[in-house]
Amino acid sequence: MVRVALVTCADRPDVAEDRDLPVLVRALNEAGAQASAEVWDDAGVDWARFDLAVIRSTWDYSWRAAEFTAWAERCGALTRLANPADVVRWNTDKRYLADLAAAAVPVVETRYLAPGDAVELPDDHEFVVKPASGAGARFAARYTPDEHDTAVRHVRRMHGDGFTAMVQPYVRAIDSGGERALQFFGGTLLHASRKGPVLAPGTPYDQRKTAHPDLTGWTPTSDELAVAEAALSAVPGAPELLYARVDLVDGDDGRPRVMELELVEPNLFLWLHPESLPVAVERIIQAAGR
């Protein structure tokens, strides 16, 4: 019997509930594994007793990225970690978008403002400011050029907390076409979803947001699949990934671009795609048995 840890975080009011977690734990146990949900920063967990630790909903990591990546290194030295610790370290910093762009993967144009950098913001188009280490739209906001003062205060707040800020043009096609999430598991497409716009005009950066509004199933186009597969192929070192989610939006040219590549703790949306549950269970057990 393989032993599997599904890694999550402690309950806290500013972190969403993982609706899939109890369902996945139960399905794994029913399939013959010994599975349990374990909190990543619980010092009492003996990670070495598991055959596989699958990072699932460690959704508090973004404000503790250094601590989280150090945990991933320790855990990966004690058991098989999915995804691997080097992938976690690379993917927890959204400067990975620059690596994808350098590999000719179409991505949303992004500039990075590290603490100490001059705060230069667009003056001719709507734009988004968010942290390079972030999740669930936390500390993200949308601005018009005449909201520079507010945006500058936003960036300086992040710099004061030690975060690098990202500045991207607001992708107008999100308002009509939404954002598509292509979920891969065991190297093949598991399912895809579409969500509506997250950032409403005038919403303060520190206001809690609905991360996945109006979520529905989606059938990806051939162009979307091609961009998603190119992004996965560009991950440094060509690591073996148990799971991956590629979030896409349409650029001004109507072609898909990578908004985010989620390799650490992407929401699987199994509650929306129940037919994918047995596939995920099978592939987790296969990975644990290697």
Side-chain angles (χ1 to χ4, degrees), residues 237-280:
E240 182 178 352
L241 302 172
L242 177 61
Y243 54 85
R245 200 182 79 212
V246 188
D247 293 344
L248 303 173
V249 295
D250 290 333
D252 289 341
D253 58 1
R255 300 183 67 84
R257 295 174 176 270
V258 175
M259 173 71 79
E260 292 191 11
L261 175 58
E262 298 273 7
L263 306 180
V264 180
E265 33 59 89
N267 196 321
L268 297 180
F269 309 129
L270 291 173
W271 57 267
L272 181 64
H273 301 275
E275 73 283 357
S276 295
L277 178 61
V279 180

Side-chain angles (χ1 to χ4, degrees), residues 58-65 91-96 112 129-140 158 163-166 211 245 247 259-266:
T58 54
W59 293 336
D60 63 347
Y61 89 85
S62 62
W63 303 124
R64 306 162 61 192
N91 195 234
T92 51
D93 187 334
K94 291 186 176 64
R95 281 176 284 198
Y96 67 73
Y112 301 93
V129 174
K130 58 187 177 182
S133 176
R138 289 200 295 269
F139 259 43
M158 283 192 285
F163 293 107
T164 291
M166 301 168 59
R245 200 182 79 212
D247 293 344
M259 173 71 79
E260 292 191 11
L261 175 58
E262 298 273 7
L263 306 180
V264 180
E265 33 59 89

Side-chain angles (χ1 to χ4, degrees), residues 24-39:
L24 193 52
V25 169
R26 183 170 61 251
L28 282 164
N29 283 309
E30 290 173 350
Q34 183 179 328
S36 59
E38 305 290 346
V39 173

Side-chain angles (χ1 to χ4, degrees), residues 103-237:
V105 177
V107 302
V108 175
E109 179 185 346
T110 306
R111 289 191 301 114
Y112 301 93
L113 300 175
D117 288 348
V119 182
E120 298 178 357
L121 299 172
D123 57 10
D124 60 350
H125 60 265
E126 200 170 8
F127 59 96
V128 171
V129 174
K130 58 187 177 182
S133 176
R138 289 200 295 269
F139 259 43
R142 170 180 172 182
Y143 297 104
T144 61
D146 60 2
E147 295 175 306
H148 262 218
D149 289 348
T150 304
V152 168
R153 288 194 296 271
H154 179 181
V155 174
R156 288 178 174 161
R157 165 70 186 278
M158 283 192 285
H159 284 176
D161 289 343
F163 293 107
T164 291
M166 301 168 59
V167 181
Q168 298 174 319
Y170 183 73
V171 181
R172 293 172 294 178
I174 292 177
D175 292 334
S176 55
E179 183 176 335
R180 281 85 67 200
L182 277 61
Q183 180 73 58
F184 293 79
F185 220 94
T188 60
L189 182 71
L190 184 65
H191 55 242
S193 312
R194 177 191 177 278
K195 70 178 181 181
V198 175
L199 299 178
T203 303
Y205 67 86
D206 52 359
Q207 179 174 314
R208 186 171 180 178
K209 304 166 188 72
T210 300
H212 306 289
D214 304 319
L215 196 69
T216 59
W218 179 258
T219 300
T221 66
S222 58
D223 281 351
E224 289 171 349
L225 283 169
V227 171
E229 290 166 356
L232 294 175
S233 296
V235 178

